[in-house]
Amino acid sequence: MHLNVFLSQSGHHSAAWRHPRADPRNAACLQHYVALAKSAEAAAMDSVFIADGLSIGAEAQYEERRNFEPLTLLAALAVSTFRIGLIATASTSFSEPYNLARSFASLDHISKGRAGWNIVTTAEERSAQNFGGWPADGHDARYARADEFVRVAKQLWDSWGPTALCMDTATGTYTDLGNVREINHVGQHFRVRGPLNIPPCPQTYPLLVQAGSSPRGMAFAAEHAEVVFSVHQRLEAAARFCRSLRQTAAAYGRDVEMLRVLPGLVPVVADSEKAAGQLKRELDDLVPTEKVVAFLEERLGIDLAGADLDAPLPVLPPPSAFAGQQGRYQVIKDLAERNLTIRQVFARLSAGRGHATVVGTPDQIADHMQEWFEGGAADGFTVLPPLLPDGLDDFIAGVVPVLRRRRLLRREYEGDTIRDHYRLPSPRAGR
């Protein structure tokens, strides 16, 4: 199986920064991230992943917010590591294809073929206000822009032929301009002449990653993504998602064997089940009531002021009525329909914002991973440690050896690029 490690500040539990085993000063400390990346690389994990946000909201009163811009951070990690893949989140809603294609090409060169782009659209009104847009585009409009954005970026990465950079000192010809082409794209959202002003990426273009779980997001992933970061609480739902995604990818003419699905997993791991449960309770007890309300209001787009947290959520409309992240909305809606109280719903989400949380010993965590992997629900996992660095250290020391004994995980790297790790070929230039 493949392992992608989602790095954050103090960890993925919303109260991680308050726990005695965490240091909130790490949020703005480069060496914190360098040490995490090196630990993941020493365990031969496929990649590290950095998320992003373009605004700051009410939740910042109660939890850490992202500090470093991902591409900048991963450029630093690229020169501090040698083999591990480096995936950065970047939004198609408030970027331009030329600048973003150039930035990712630069990271791919700096890292010698280890760059990946997590493609997201941005729904938050606060973010739109930071970029001159008000209101933010609707769900389908964001994906229409994203679709054109990715097509333009691919054309830009393909704008240099493989023999364009000749550097012939005898003739004085540095670039064969006959193998460099303008793309002359004119579309609904973008007008881009090209070509890109940087030679071809080591991988032709960076690994393409996507995380949308709505029907429109799944269609986008099926057409463009090579790795899909999904959010599911139950094996059956995750397996259905994988089957549907691959069926849609086949309809686009893609080889479904060239697609990797990595659902999020929050491993609360300790030497005993009792100790793991105690750690989860310690973290949950550090969450202020106000945080519960702010989190659910943002994820659901409803007003919970004055709500009884020990009563169920109100009846929620279908995800198609929500303009924000529909996959996360559906997870919360599913929990609410199991007659859980507001407080209980949040407890299921507190460690990973909707991703499956498994509390137990290394063998119990590995059992869960093996069941999903062999049950067609995952090609691997995006690991979200609840505490950092301890949660990653505990996972590597405890769970990784179990997976290796079961012959489910590599012991060392078999290649140098991120596509080597995920066993995916590099695209052909000019395709």
Side-chain angles (χ1 to χ4, degrees):
M1 64 177 68
H2 301 282
L3 294 181
N4 171 45
V5 182
F6 191 159
L7 303 184
S8 67
Q9 297 92 336
S10 296
H12 286 276
H13 193 285
S14 60
W17 66 276
R18 298 184 67 192
H19 196 274
R21 291 170 63 185
D23 183 352
R25 293 172 296 182
N26 284 336
C29 176
L30 172 61
Q31 291 309 312
H32 170 66
Y33 293 93
V34 170
L36 293 172
K38 287 184 173 181
S39 294
E41 184 173 63
M45 293 183 173
D46 296 68
S47 53
V48 295
F49 171 90
I50 304 293
D52 195 21
L54 300 174
S55 61
I56 188 168
E59 286 188 21
Q61 182 174 352
Y62 310 109
E63 67 177 54
E64 292 173 310
R65 306 309 293 171
R66 304 177 185 101
N67 290 81
F68 292 124
E69 187 280 318
L71 278 160
T72 307
L73 175 57
L74 289 184
L77 298 187
V79 298
S80 303
T81 58
F82 300 95
R83 306 288 286 280
I84 196 162
L86 307 166
I87 301 173
T89 297
S91 174
T92 59
S93 298
F94 304 113
S95 305
E96 288 292 322
Y98 192 93
N99 285 346
L100 209 57
R102 184 184 183 210
S103 295
F104 274 101
S106 298
L107 180 61
D108 206 48
H109 278 285
I110 292 168
S111 65
K112 298 182 180 179
R114 295 187 283 140
W117 173 22
N118 179 43
I119 307 162
V120 301
T121 67
T122 303
E124 293 84 7
E125 299 291 359
R126 285 180 176 272
S127 297
Q129 293 174 28
N130 288 336
F131 291 86
W134 178 259
D137 289 339
H139 184 267
D140 289 348
R142 294 197 307 273
Y143 273 106
R145 176 186 168 96
D147 182 76
E148 184 179 342
F149 194 115
V150 172
R151 293 177 189 278
V152 175
K154 288 180 177 180
Q155 291 180 66
L156 288 167
W157 288 319
D158 280 343
S159 62
W160 285 62
T163 61
L165 192 64
C166 49
M167 295 184 288
D168 189 334
T169 57
T171 65
T173 302
Y174 189 87
T175 304
D176 177 5
L177 293 179
N179 279 308
V180 181
R181 64 181 182 87
E182 296 178 359
I183 69 171
N184 293 314
H185 173 87
V186 178
Q188 180 181 355
H189 300 92
F190 307 108
R191 296 171 61 93
V192 183
R193 187 181 76 176
L196 206 59
N197 65 343
I198 184 171
C201 300
Q203 304 182 87
T204 304
Y205 52 76
L207 183 76
L208 299 182
V209 184
Q210 206 265 343
S213 297
S214 68
R216 185 66 183 85
M218 282 183 62
F220 181 89
E223 184 174 5
H224 296 293
E226 298 166 283
V227 171
V228 176
F229 176 25
S230 64
V231 51
H232 291 98
Q233 296 262 337
R234 295 182 176 182
L235 184 152
E236 296 79 8
R240 283 196 304 271
F241 175 86
C242 287
R243 290 194 297 270
S244 178
L245 180 67
R246 289 190 164 94
Q247 289 168 0
T248 307
Y252 280 108
R254 295 187 59 190
D255 181 353
V256 297
E257 297 302 317
M258 297 295 103
L259 191 63
R260 306 285 180 261
V261 182
L262 308 179
L265 173 68
V266 184
V268 186
V269 59
D271 292 338
S272 69
E273 187 174 358
K274 180 179 179 181
Q278 176 62 31
L279 175 58
K280 178 65 163 58
R281 287 190 295 274
E282 288 173 4
L283 288 164
D284 288 346
D285 289 345
L286 292 172
V287 179
T289 298
E290 296 82 0
K291 161 62 182 172
V292 177
V293 173
F295 176 90
L296 291 173
E297 285 183 337
E298 179 176 337
R299 296 304 188 278
L300 299 174
I302 61 175
D303 184 359
L304 293 174
D308 180 1
L309 299 191
D310 293 310
L313 280 163
V315 176
L316 299 173
S320 58
F322 182 57
Q325 295 180 337
Q326 294 186 6
R328 303 296 175 87
Y329 182 99
Q330 183 66 59
V331 167
I332 299 174
K333 188 174 189 297
D334 290 344
L335 290 172
E337 290 172 353
R338 291 159 62 183
N339 205 36
L340 299 176
T341 68
I342 294 175
R343 201 184 303 276
Q344 289 170 332
V345 167
F346 180 80
R348 301 291 183 93
L349 304 169
S350 59
R353 303 173 301 282
H355 294 286
T357 300
V358 183
V359 182
T361 65
D363 280 290
Q364 289 173 320
I365 305 294
D367 288 345
H368 171 94
M369 297 172 74
Q370 182 170 359
E371 183 182 19
W372 279 46
F373 181 67
E374 295 179 347
D379 298 304
F381 297 88
T382 295
V383 180
L384 296 83
L387 281 170
L388 286 170
D390 286 9
L392 179 58
D393 293 341
D394 294 343
F395 180 86
I396 291 172
V399 180
V400 166
V402 176
L403 295 173
R404 285 178 174 160
R405 286 197 297 270
R406 299 180 187 185
R407 299 187 177 183
L408 294 169
L409 195 66
R410 71 162 69 90
R411 292 184 178 274
E412 58 187 26
Y413 290 113
E414 299 168 359
D416 297 317
T417 72
I418 190 171
R419 278 196 173 82
D420 290 337
H421 306 337
Y422 283 105
R423 298 182 180 178
L424 295 168
S426 291
R428 295 188 304 275
R431 76 173 189 176

